[in-house]
Amino acid sequence: MSSGFESISKPVLSSRGSRAFVPAGPYRRAFPIAKQRPWSMDDPDGNIVAVVAENKLSTNLLLERMSKCTPIPPDVMVYPSSYSGQMNLRKAFASMLEATFMQEIPVSAENIIVQAGAGALLDNLFWVLGEPGQGILVPAPYYPQFDKDLTVKCEMVPLPFVLDESGGADGVTQQLSAAAADAEARGVTVLALLLTNPNNPLGIMYSRTTLLAALEWCMERGVHVVRWDGCLPTFLCTSCGPPARRHKQEQVIAKASGYQPCWCTAKPRLLCVCTIDCLMFVHGWMDGLLVE
């Protein structure tokens, strides 16, 4: 007679759920160990930890400033009219973008989506853009959490490749073409190029020549460009020029190549993902911003 408490032989998790339990990047294990012995004048052999983007030095200043802000409006306590985020928040971000690294580019709040972290944005973005098994070109080395963002739910295929800028625009397009050809030889169709600028973990800023060559290559081939500009407004690179100028030039190339800022078209899209927690050094917020 069955007791109803026999051991379950089936897997408890789905294949997607099992992928979520794959150990995170090695820095997750090294980070707490390194913090146990920080560098100091008395211990010059200690660790200078630079693997997690968290700035606690400004916490008191931010808390003081936030305490003086406008009180939280009551409409945030109910379901919003749009699941793209509260409109007053999206309008505020649009104004910030127009005043910083998207100067001279009209930014509409209607083209902004705010969600719980940039990882959630990438997850949802590739869920709606692609099919399981499609590939995402990613210059290596890259943020290791991208592997989970791309694979756990969306079942995308990360396609790492080394992006060497020494060959100029022609060298960039050749490397992209070679990476795409290698993927196609394995039966993987390239859906998008995921660019992180500044590069994580190297911290380098890609040159304007590299960015524009990559964008033009993608637009000509119908490949989406997803720009992860985590801390872009806080950086200004002499080789790139003002960020606003580069974004304006990118927009011109994208439109000339058939880009249309509309989700109902089948054209390739230029999408910018910002991590608001990194932009404002409030890492507990876990806010992500998607701008089309």
Side-chain angles (χ1 to χ4, degrees), residues 192-209:
L193 169 66
L194 177 56
L195 274 174
T196 307
N197 199 41
N199 175 277
N200 183 347
L202 297 181
I204 62 173
M205 291 286 289
Y206 292 119
S207 69
R208 178 189 298 158
T209 297

Side-chain angles (χ1 to χ4, degrees), residues 78-131:
V78 298
Y79 285 123
S81 57
S82 168
Y83 288 100
S84 297
Q86 294 287 340
M87 180 52 73
N88 57 346
L89 178 62
R90 291 154 66 194
K91 287 180 178 178
F93 279 132
S95 298
M96 182 200 74
L97 293 170
E98 289 182 337
T100 54
F101 69 107
M102 287 188 174
Q103 296 172 19
E104 302 180 13
I105 301 175
V107 180
S108 171
E110 297 291 339
N111 290 347
I112 292 178
I113 297 174
V114 182
Q115 291 189 342
L121 277 172
L122 288 179
D123 185 34
N124 291 324
L125 180 62
F126 289 119
W127 176 266
V128 299
L129 287 181
E131 301 290 343

Side-chain angles (χ1 to χ4, degrees), residues 230-254:
C231 302
L232 186 56
T234 64
F235 283 82
L236 179 61
C237 179
T238 55
S239 64
C240 299
R245 187 188 310 157
R246 185 172 67 249
H247 277 275
K248 184 71 173 179
Q249 200 166 358
E250 289 176 344
Q251 190 182 63
V252 170
I253 288 179

Side-chain angles (χ1 to χ4, degrees), residues 1-291:
M1 180 177 180
S2 173
S3 64
F5 291 96
E6 289 84 5
S7 61
I8 300 174
S9 58
K10 291 184 182 179
V12 176
L13 296 176
S14 67
S15 58
R16 294 189 305 276
S18 299
R19 287 196 293 270
F21 280 87
V22 174
Y27 74 95
R28 293 282 187 178
R29 296 186 293 272
F31 180 53
I33 297 174
K35 287 203 302 181
Q36 294 175 8
R37 186 186 177 186
W39 181 93
S40 68
M41 294 290 291
D42 297 328
D43 186 6
D45 293 327
N47 302 299
I48 298 176
V49 184
V51 297
V52 175
E54 185 171 20
N55 183 358
K56 296 180 179 177
L57 299 177
S58 59
T59 299
N60 292 337
L61 295 173
L62 284 166
L63 286 174
E64 180 182 355
R65 176 67 181 88
M66 290 166 60
S67 67
K68 300 176 182 178
C69 292
T70 304
I72 298 175
D75 61 346
V76 303
M77 305 301 292
V78 298
Y79 285 123
S81 57
S82 168
Y83 288 100
S84 297
Q86 294 287 340
M87 180 52 73
N88 57 346
L89 178 62
R90 291 154 66 194
K91 287 180 178 178
F93 279 132
S95 298
M96 182 200 74
L97 293 170
E98 289 182 337
T100 54
F101 69 107
M102 287 188 174
Q103 296 172 19
E104 302 180 13
I105 301 175
V107 180
S108 171
E110 297 291 339
N111 290 347
I112 292 178
I113 297 174
V114 182
Q115 291 189 342
L121 277 172
L122 288 179
D123 185 34
N124 291 324
L125 180 62
F126 289 119
W127 176 266
V128 299
L129 287 181
E131 301 290 343
Q134 289 188 296
I136 311 298
L137 291 170
V138 192
Y142 60 85
Y143 179 47
Q145 190 64 25
F146 283 165
D147 284 338
K148 286 192 175 181
D149 294 335
L150 297 176
T151 63
V152 170
K153 187 177 79 175
C154 302
E155 300 183 82
M156 300 284 120
V157 180
L159 301 172
F161 70 102
V162 177
L163 181 56
D164 182 356
E165 299 185 86
S166 62
D170 289 341
V172 170
T173 56
Q174 289 171 8
Q175 292 169 77
L176 286 167
S177 296
D182 179 67
E184 290 170 3
R186 294 184 282 129
V188 179
T189 302
V190 175
L191 173 73
L193 169 66
L194 177 56
L195 274 174
T196 307
N197 199 41
N199 175 277
N200 183 347
L202 297 181
I204 62 173
M205 291 286 289
Y206 292 119
S207 69
R208 178 189 298 158
T209 297
T210 294
L211 295 175
L212 296 180
L215 175 62
E216 192 166 6
W217 181 90
C218 289
M219 293 296 134
E220 289 177 354
R221 289 159 179 79
V223 173
H224 301 294
V225 181
V226 179
R227 285 274 302 276
W228 179 292
D229 288 344
C231 302
L232 186 56
T234 64
F235 283 82
L236 179 61
C237 179
T238 55
S239 64
C240 299
R245 187 188 310 157
R246 185 172 67 249
H247 277 275
K248 184 71 173 179
Q249 200 166 358
E250 289 176 344
Q251 190 182 63
V252 170
I253 288 179
K255 287 185 175 179
S257 303
Y259 162 77
Q260 294 292 332
C262 176
W263 288 105
C264 62
T265 68
K267 300 291 185 180
R269 297 173 180 85
L270 171 60
L271 301 155
C272 177
V273 176
C274 300
T275 51
I276 303 306
D277 49 323
C278 288
L279 289 179
M280 303 180 72
F281 300 107
V282 279
H283 299 86
W285 283 12
M286 294 301 291
D287 287 337
L289 186 68
L290 173 66
V291 185

